[in-house]
Amino acid sequence: MRTLYVITHPEATHHVEGVVGGWHDSRLTPAGVRAAVSLARALRAQIPHGTEVELYSSDLRRTQRTADEVADLFGVRPILDHRLREKSYGEAEGKPQEWLDRRFVPPPAVGERMDHDEGVEGAETKATWAKRIYAAMDEILQSPCEHQIIVTHGGSLTCVVASWIKMPIESAGYASFRAPSGSITTLREDDFFHNRQVVSLGDTRHLDCAQAG
């Protein structure tokens, strides 16, 4: 039985500064670091000791820092993959969120959504974004390891889950799986039917410990 634990990185500096994240290489805040410690401990409590674990992470600093806490507890080295990054917002990255909000062109309710131009120079389309995450997921799932941890971003979680349930990319234009920062989403494939379950989405119960600390 294969289980994937998909982490959305905790609070980062772009959250508190009110600037656009994307590929802007923000760091975890002190609260984010405490949450990353709680995340790692929650995973350690769920995954049996002595079992093989693989750890994959976006290569941005906020996800690497989160992955480092997990790596320390499990005694593994994270495999960094730029394809697990958040969506690129092009020239908007690092600018105030309101700057992006004034220029952003939302996708139409009906019509082309995957290749939709959002009106921001250099920003990825949803199609480009999804294709790179689907490709990363295809490689991750080639491994026979039964316990895999993926550290990514809140927006990219949608593409990870859509790939997991084998949603065709061309059908993902309306997909949205929302999860808070610092959450754990658990995905599982059984050995009999080989069904792919979304066991939990955006679990944050472990963050109570971080806030208490």
Side-chain angles (χ1 to χ4, degrees):
M1 182 178 297
R2 182 196 298 268
T3 305
L4 268 63
Y5 307 87
V6 187
I7 294 173
T8 54
H9 71 80
E11 182 184 82
T13 53
H14 73 274
H15 292 143
V16 298
E17 293 169 357
V19 300
V20 178
W23 289 14
H24 173 60
D25 206 6
S26 60
R27 299 176 181 271
L28 292 187
T29 64
V33 172
R34 291 194 297 272
V37 171
S38 293
L39 272 165
R41 290 173 178 169
L43 289 171
R44 181 67 280 179
Q46 292 181 53
I47 300 174
H49 286 264
T51 57
E52 182 185 4
V53 174
E54 292 178 344
L55 174 60
Y56 301 87
S57 176
S58 157
D59 64 344
L60 294 178
R61 286 185 294 186
R62 56 193 184 267
T63 40
Q64 281 198 53
R65 182 67 180 83
T66 307
D68 286 344
E69 292 296 334
V70 177
D72 286 347
L73 279 189
F74 284 87
V76 297
R77 295 186 64 178
I79 299 168
L80 303 181
D81 191 333
H82 70 278
R83 295 173 299 178
L84 294 172
R85 287 184 179 189
E86 184 60 284
K87 179 184 183 295
S88 171
Y89 286 94
E91 66 174 351
E93 288 168 4
K95 289 186 166 65
Q97 183 64 46
E98 55 87 16
W99 187 95
L100 173 60
D101 293 343
R102 291 199 309 269
R103 294 162 175 78
F104 187 80
V105 180
V110 177
E112 179 52 58
R113 294 172 62 89
M114 292 300 287
D115 285 314
H116 168 72
D117 182 351
E118 297 172 345
V120 179
E121 187 171 346
E124 287 183 303
T125 63
K126 191 170 185 179
T128 301
W129 181 25
K131 284 174 183 175
R132 63 173 166 82
I133 293 181
Y134 272 53
M137 287 292 290
D138 285 346
E139 287 189 20
I140 289 169
L141 295 176
Q142 285 177 11
S143 168
C145 184
E146 294 188 350
H147 294 278
Q148 296 171 302
I149 300 168
I150 298 173
V151 185
T152 187
H153 306 260
S156 292
L157 177 76
T158 284
C159 298
V160 170
V161 176
S163 171
W164 172 252
I165 62 175
K166 292 187 174 290
M167 179 184 291
I169 287 181
E170 59 270 18
S171 300
Y174 292 92
S176 179
F177 299 97
R178 304 304 299 168
S181 298
S183 67
I184 302 173
T185 291
T186 303
L187 311 174
R188 183 168 295 132
E189 179 180 0
D190 71 86
D191 292 333
F192 188 75
F193 291 105
H194 296 285
N195 289 331
R196 292 189 171 185
Q197 305 170 346
V198 179
V199 178
S200 66
L201 179 66
D203 187 359
T204 57
R205 287 173 294 176
H206 52 276
L207 295 184
D208 293 339
C209 298
Q211 292 167 358

